[in-house]
């Protein structure tokens, strides 16, 4: 009699379906970013698949049927099919956010006036503005009331259809506890063909919170804190006396002339901050340039590539992909990065830990505080005035040290053969800071600042002969 052995089926397809179903459920109801999850963790699918197959192979070997645990074509097609499904979901989400003209929004654009009755509020009220699509502009008012005007915008093939869409949508001002909220109202508020541009006047001393999904936001001259959460669109805040907080998913951000602290977080493009009496904190991933000018209480910047703490910024800082530049920073500086770093005229302690990027530090006046620079796979250049006094220890692995500072108390060991270059000693007659420089697979250069090199003598100025006396000619 033939021995028929029932071949066991794999548990991997069922577990994979459970995982993908849970992922889609969290995406629909919790806003989980599938791109972020799969972008970092997609190899876990292969690891999990291999682990299940390894377990099944061991179980099948014990049962005497090692072929039962092979990878089948159905499993491969299932994995590819579910990945394609997730790709479609990601593509649809991307199209909704980034493609301005998807099918429902094709047509002409029509604008209609927005009329909202003003509402009296306390002068120091807490005011929240919520909007879906559209621009928001907020300005202060000396009156203790909220006034809203603006436009209702609709995409349609003709004006009658656009008017029907917008007639169902309005804006209302409601009181929630001790605060007030401005938000869209009506049956068509979720229609992607409709957007609301809001021009809002609120009491100058009101604290303000703005939440928008897509559109530009502008806030000016408020006396209390301003909190902004925006999805897609530019954000500008200027002339405020309170703290400013901006959280974004895809925005260019500009903050200027504020007396409070500034906090910027999320993901976005460019950041431009100037004239801040408080401090600046940036946390997130921004693919554009980050510029800061005159930040009295310093800068804190955290991203995947950079961790920077600067206690005071009197000049300019700019962080671009692959490059960090800081000029005129009177306070202490601590930075960990993987970019090229240029630092000029630091006034406090300097500590730099870097990888794969050149570090160039320049002082136009003798430094007074310690300097510590650790680098890897790139070089270090330190420029100091000739009048500087300092104690130095410099080590260079698989590289060399070049110094324009010469003294009997400075001992330089060149890097020859398998030996590492080493410089140690004291320079100058006074008591100076301690300088520690370390790098590998790069060189260390000590330079005198160009201002120490005497300028060539100016050529003598030729005197212009006086004009002839016309009276003598006559």
């Amino acid at each position: 009699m033939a021995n028929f052995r029932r071949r066991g089926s794999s548990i991997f397809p069922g577990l994979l379906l459970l995982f993908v179903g849970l992922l889609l459920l969290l995406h629909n109801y919790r806003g989980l970013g599938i791109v972020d999850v799969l972008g970092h963790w997609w190899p876990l699918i292969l690891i999990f698949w291999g682990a299940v197959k390894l377990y099944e192979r061991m179980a099948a070997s014990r049962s005497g049927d090692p072929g039962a645990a092979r990878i089948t074509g159905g499993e491969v097609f299932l994995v590819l099919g579910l990945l394609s499904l997730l790709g479609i979901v990601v593509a649809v989400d991307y199209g909704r956010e980034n493609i301005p003209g998807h099918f429902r929004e094709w047509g002409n654009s029509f604008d209609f006036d927005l009329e909202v009755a003003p509402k009296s509020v306390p002068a120091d009220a807490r005011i929240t503005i919520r909007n879906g699509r559209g621009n928001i502009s907020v300005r202060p008012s000396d009156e203790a009331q909220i006034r809203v005007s603006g436009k209702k915008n609709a995409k349609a093939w003709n004006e009658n259809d656009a008017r029907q869409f917008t007639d169902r949508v309005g804006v209302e001002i409601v009181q929630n506890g001790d605060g007030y909220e401005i938000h869209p109202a009506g049956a068509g508020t979720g229609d992607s063909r409709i957007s609301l541009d809001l021009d809002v006047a609120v009491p100058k001393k009101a604290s303000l919170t703005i939440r928008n999904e897509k559109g530009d936001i502008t806030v000016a001259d408020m006396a209390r804190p301003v909190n902004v959460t925006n999805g897609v669109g530019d954000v500008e805040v200027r002339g405020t006396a309170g703290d400013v907080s901006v959280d974004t998913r895809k925005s260019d951000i500009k903050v200027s002339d504020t007396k409070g602290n500034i906090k910027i977080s999320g993901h976005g493009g460019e950041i431009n901050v100037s004239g801040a009496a408080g401090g600046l904190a940036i946390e997130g991933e921004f693919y554009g340039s980050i510029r800061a000018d005159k930040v009295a209480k310093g800068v804190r910047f955290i991203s995947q590539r950079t961790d920077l703490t600067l206690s005071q910024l009197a000049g300019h800082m700019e962080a671009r992909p692959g490059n960090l530049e800081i000029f005129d920073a009177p306070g202490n500086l601590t930075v960990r990065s993987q970019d090229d770093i240029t630092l000029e005229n630091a006034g406090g302690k300097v500590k730099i830990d870097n990888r794969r990027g050149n570090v160039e530090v320049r002082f136009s006046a003798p430094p007074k505080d310690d300097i510590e620079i650790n680098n890897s796979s790139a070089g270090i250049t330190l420029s100091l005035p000739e009048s500087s006094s300092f104690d130095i220890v410099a080590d260079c692995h698989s590289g060399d040290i070049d110094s324009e500072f010469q003294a009997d108390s400075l001992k330089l060991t060149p890097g020859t053969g398998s030996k590492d270059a080493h410089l140690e000693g004291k320079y100058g007659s006074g008591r100076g800071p301690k300088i520690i420089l370390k790098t590998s697979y790069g060189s260390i250069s000590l330079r005198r600042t160009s201002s120490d090199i005497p300028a060539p003598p100016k050529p003598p100025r030729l005197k212009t002969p006086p004009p002839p006396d016309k009276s003598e000619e006559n």
Side-chain angles (χ1 to χ4, degrees):
M1 179 182 295
N3 184 17
F4 294 98
R5 185 176 297 154
R6 186 176 182 272
R7 177 171 295 172
S9 58
S10 175
I11 63 173
F12 173 74
L15 293 175
L16 182 62
L17 286 171
L18 286 174
F19 170 75
V20 173
L22 180 62
L23 196 66
L24 292 175
L25 184 64
L26 293 174
H27 171 266
N28 289 338
Y29 290 97
R30 295 293 183 181
L32 179 69
I34 293 181
V35 174
D36 296 333
V37 174
L38 292 182
H40 292 88
W41 302 103
W42 66 266
L44 287 178
I45 296 178
L46 300 180
I47 295 173
F48 178 68
W49 192 0
V52 170
K53 285 300 173 183
L54 183 61
Y55 169 77
E56 291 178 350
R57 176 63 60 89
M58 294 173 60
S61 297
R62 288 195 297 267
S63 64
D65 187 11
R70 72 178 188 275
I71 297 177
T72 65
E75 292 180 4
V76 175
F77 282 112
L78 177 64
V79 172
L80 295 177
L82 291 178
L83 289 177
S84 300
L85 174 62
L86 294 175
I88 292 172
V89 173
V90 171
V92 170
D93 287 346
Y94 181 86
R96 286 176 177 173
E97 292 186 2
N98 298 278
I99 301 177
H102 36 85
F103 293 107
R104 295 191 64 198
E105 295 182 0
W106 283 3
N108 300 314
S109 180
F110 299 92
D111 298 334
F112 304 93
D113 291 334
L114 177 65
E115 297 181 359
V116 182
K119 188 176 186 65
S120 297
V121 298
D124 58 350
R126 293 188 303 103
I127 298 175
T128 300
I129 302 174
R130 297 181 184 272
N131 196 19
R133 293 169 174 260
N135 303 326
I136 300 175
S137 177
V138 182
R139 52 189 172 83
S141 173
D142 294 330
E143 301 176 356
Q145 62 176 209
I146 299 174
R147 289 182 284 114
V148 180
S149 60
K151 295 288 185 180
K152 297 187 287 185
N153 309 308
K155 288 279 189 178
W157 295 111
N158 56 70
E159 185 174 358
N160 289 333
D161 290 344
R163 189 178 296 277
Q164 290 180 3
F165 298 153
T166 58
D167 284 344
R168 301 193 297 265
V169 178
V171 172
E172 62 182 12
I173 306 171
V174 298
Q175 183 174 359
N176 290 329
D178 59 347
Y180 296 83
E181 182 172 307
I182 305 166
H183 60 242
T189 54
D191 196 330
S192 62
R193 294 169 293 184
I194 299 174
S195 62
L196 299 174
D197 292 339
L198 306 180
D199 186 359
V200 185
V202 299
K204 186 179 181 67
K205 295 183 179 180
S207 59
L208 186 63
T209 299
I210 300 175
R211 302 185 185 278
N212 199 32
E213 294 181 7
K214 188 174 184 180
D216 298 339
I217 296 175
T218 304
V219 181
D221 303 321
M222 296 299 296
R224 298 286 297 278
V226 175
N227 297 282
V228 177
T229 301
N230 197 31
V232 180
D234 298 340
V235 177
E236 181 178 1
V237 182
R238 61 180 183 271
T240 58
D243 294 344
V244 174
S245 175
V246 180
D247 184 76
T248 178
R249 190 170 70 250
K250 189 178 180 182
S251 299
D252 291 341
I253 300 170
K254 182 177 181 180
V255 182
S256 59
D257 301 325
T258 179
K259 295 181 180 179
N261 297 317
I262 302 169
K263 181 180 179 181
I264 299 173
S265 59
H267 298 73
E270 294 186 354
I271 295 176
N272 197 323
V273 176
S274 61
L280 169 63
I282 302 173
E283 184 173 357
E285 304 303 320
F286 295 86
Y287 53 82
S289 296
I290 298 175
R291 302 181 182 91
D293 292 278
K294 295 179 173 60
V295 182
K297 294 185 179 180
V299 179
R300 184 78 172 99
F301 173 36
I302 301 176
S303 69
Q304 291 183 352
R305 295 179 60 89
T306 304
D307 188 340
L308 179 147
T309 301
L310 180 61
S311 62
Q312 188 177 355
L313 179 63
H316 175 75
M317 184 195 87
E318 183 167 356
R320 302 185 300 272
N323 199 339
L324 173 63
E325 297 178 349
I326 302 173
F327 300 94
D328 298 326
N332 298 331
L333 168 67
T334 302
V335 60
R336 176 184 54 79
S337 181
Q338 301 179 33
D339 301 327
D340 289 341
I341 297 176
T342 301
L343 173 63
E344 186 167 338
N345 293 336
K349 292 183 179 180
V350 174
K351 184 175 182 180
I352 299 174
D353 288 299
N354 200 46
R355 296 181 61 189
R356 297 189 294 273
N358 293 316
V359 177
E360 183 174 355
V361 179
R362 184 180 186 275
F363 290 85
S364 58
K368 298 179 180 179
D369 289 287
D370 295 345
I371 301 169
E372 182 178 351
I373 303 175
N374 294 286
N375 205 3
S376 176
S377 303
I380 298 173
T381 301
L382 176 62
S383 300
L384 304 169
E386 174 68 23
S387 57
S388 300
S389 296
F390 53 84
D391 291 300
I392 187 169
V393 176
D395 291 288
C396 187
H397 176 67
S398 297
D400 212 344
I401 298 176
D402 180 24
S403 175
E404 294 181 355
F405 293 86
Q406 305 294 329
D408 293 338
S409 55
L410 284 176
K411 305 299 182 182
L412 174 61
T413 303
T416 56
S418 60
K419 296 181 65 175
D420 297 336
H422 179 77
L423 174 66
E424 185 172 357
K426 178 179 174 55
Y427 182 85
S429 57
R431 182 179 179 182
K434 187 171 185 179
I435 299 176
I436 299 175
L437 307 177
K438 294 181 180 180
T439 189
S440 58
Y441 304 103
S443 62
I444 294 178
S445 299
L446 289 177
R447 298 282 182 256
R448 289 188 300 167
T449 52
S450 57
S451 59
D452 290 330
I453 301 175
K458 295 182 180 180
R461 184 177 179 181
L462 300 178
K463 295 184 178 180
T464 304
D469 190 350
K470 294 184 179 181
S471 60
E472 294 180 359
E473 294 179 359
N474 295 333

